[in-house]
Amino acid sequence: MKIIVNGKEAGSKETGCALCGATWGEYYEEIDGDRLFFCCDFCALEFKNMINEVKKRTGWSKIDELIINGNYYTGRTCVAKLGEKEYKFYVKFNEEGDVGIFKEV
């Protein structure tokens, strides 16, 4: 899965956390067959919850590319891609890392 966070490629220790883009930390999680880097387990939890919500709403079994813009405080405007298909959405998480607000845009 290709991941772009605030205009920069992300998802590895070198490129940054797959959700927020931070390069500190040492947490990895396998998601859809890809070993992704996260700065912390909380970002990994939020990312998984977001991916699962997209899959539930689209019926997709995987996501090829995810473009994320924003942050924890303002929420994130995102585009998920599968082949030529696109799904645009806004997500904001609650204090437990669950999806608090999710809207198609």
Side-chain angles (χ1 to χ4, degrees), residues 42-59:
F42 199 70
C43 276
L45 173 65
E46 290 180 340
F47 188 89
K48 285 187 291 187
N49 288 336
M50 177 177 64
I51 293 294
N52 289 337
E53 188 68 26
V54 170
K55 288 179 179 179
K56 182 174 84 175
R57 290 178 182 237
T58 61

Side-chain angles (χ1 to χ4, degrees), residues 63-81:
I63 296 170
D64 292 334
E65 183 176 351
L66 186 59
I67 301 168
I68 303 168
N69 288 296
N71 59 51
Y72 177 82
Y73 299 103
T74 62
R76 294 172 169 94
T77 303
C78 308
V79 179
K81 297 181 180 182

